[in-house]
Amino acid sequence: MEAIQGDEESLTEPPETPPLYRGLDFAYRVYEPAHEARQALVLLHGSGVDETVLVPLAREIAPSARLMAVRGRVVQGGSRRWFTRITPTAFDQESIREEARAFVRFLPRLAKREGFDLGAAVFLGYSNGANLASSVMLLHPGLIGRAALLRAMPVLDCVPAADLAKTPVLVVAGREDVTYGPYAPALASLLERHGAAVESRVVPAGHEFGEHDAELVRAWLEKAA
């Protein structure tokens, strides 16, 4: 396992940031809780940042969780992403499928390497990271068992006949998010049509995430426990 501390590609990181592990399809960091871990959260960041950005939010949501913060590997216009975009709301379809396939290869290997139950893991995705998570769910059903999707939208032009078999999904939109907010109902409807058990919420925010999101995701997880 190769560990790289203070990778020059990352944003400025606090001293307590754990090492960046490579060797699989995606690089990632593991954040251990102060006490024994009760669950595992897989964190998928948004565009223009890196894997560390969702850690404070995840700690607010689940202080006792072990966090797997994964780094998107596409760089476009100097911004790190999960797949290539054409416009803010249109995306390269082959890039989505290619990165989704790579993520499907990566997840079981990550779970084996880090010793957690992939079936019980919770996926927390924000913006472009949430869009990757929903795409993996629709293109490769059964791998992601529970997902909280913040500021997400549908990105696939052609969706296969996926059976999401009551997969619990939380979709959280920002009331003032003029770019993605209007698309959140379409994403919720799409996932519901494919069998997911979707809960939709709107928070008083724009595209940014904050305490309202933490409260909603925390309550959603507690209800499902």
Side-chain angles (χ1 to χ4, degrees):
M1 182 187 302
E2 180 186 1
I4 300 177
Q5 181 74 51
D7 183 7
E8 68 272 13
E9 294 178 341
S10 301
L11 301 180
T12 302
E13 298 158 356
E16 65 273 15
T17 300
L20 180 71
Y21 293 107
R22 298 187 187 273
L24 301 180
D25 289 88
F26 294 85
Y28 67 95
R29 302 180 195 273
V30 179
Y31 292 78
E32 302 288 355
H35 305 289
E36 184 179 357
R38 296 183 179 178
Q39 62 186 156
L41 265 64
V42 180
L43 312 183
L44 308 179
H45 63 82
S47 301
V49 291
D50 69 7
E51 67 284 349
T52 64
V53 74
L54 281 175
V55 172
L57 178 68
R59 280 283 174 251
E60 285 291 318
I61 292 167
S64 63
R66 194 170 183 228
L67 309 179
M68 313 292 162
V70 188
R71 173 180 289 191
R73 62 183 191 172
V74 171
V75 178
Q76 182 180 18
S79 292
R80 188 169 295 282
R81 302 177 50 80
W82 291 94
F83 48 82
T84 305
R85 80 174 188 179
I86 300 167
T87 73
T89 56
F91 307 91
D92 184 295
Q93 297 298 297
E94 182 50 38
S95 179
I96 296 171
R97 284 166 168 76
E98 180 179 350
E99 295 308 299
R101 286 191 294 268
F103 200 67
V104 167
R105 290 193 303 269
F106 165 76
L107 283 177
R109 295 170 183 171
L110 173 68
K112 182 178 180 180
R113 175 188 274 188
E114 298 301 335
F116 69 93
D117 181 359
L118 182 56
V122 177
F123 288 73
L124 176 64
Y126 167 66
S127 192
N128 189 237
N131 295 343
L132 176 82
S134 67
S135 298
V136 170
M137 292 173 70
L138 292 164
L139 293 170
H140 305 276
L143 193 64
I144 293 178
R146 208 165 14 155
L149 309 177
L150 313 182
R151 314 302 186 270
M153 65 170 288
V155 296
L156 292 169
D157 291 345
C158 199
V159 180
D163 180 7
L164 297 182
K166 302 296 181 183
T167 301
V169 180
L170 175 66
V171 176
V172 184
R175 188 178 300 144
E176 285 79 47
D177 185 356
V178 296
T179 302
Y180 273 20
Y183 294 95
L187 175 62
S189 177
L190 173 65
L191 294 170
E192 284 178 338
R193 289 199 306 273
H194 286 81
V198 181
E199 184 174 325
S200 296
R201 293 289 183 267
V202 179
V203 294
H207 196 64
E208 74 283 356
F209 57 80
E211 182 56 36
H212 292 291
D213 298 281
E215 292 172 0
L216 281 175
V217 180
R218 186 164 54 244
W220 175 71
L221 288 176
E222 289 172 355
K223 186 166 55 177

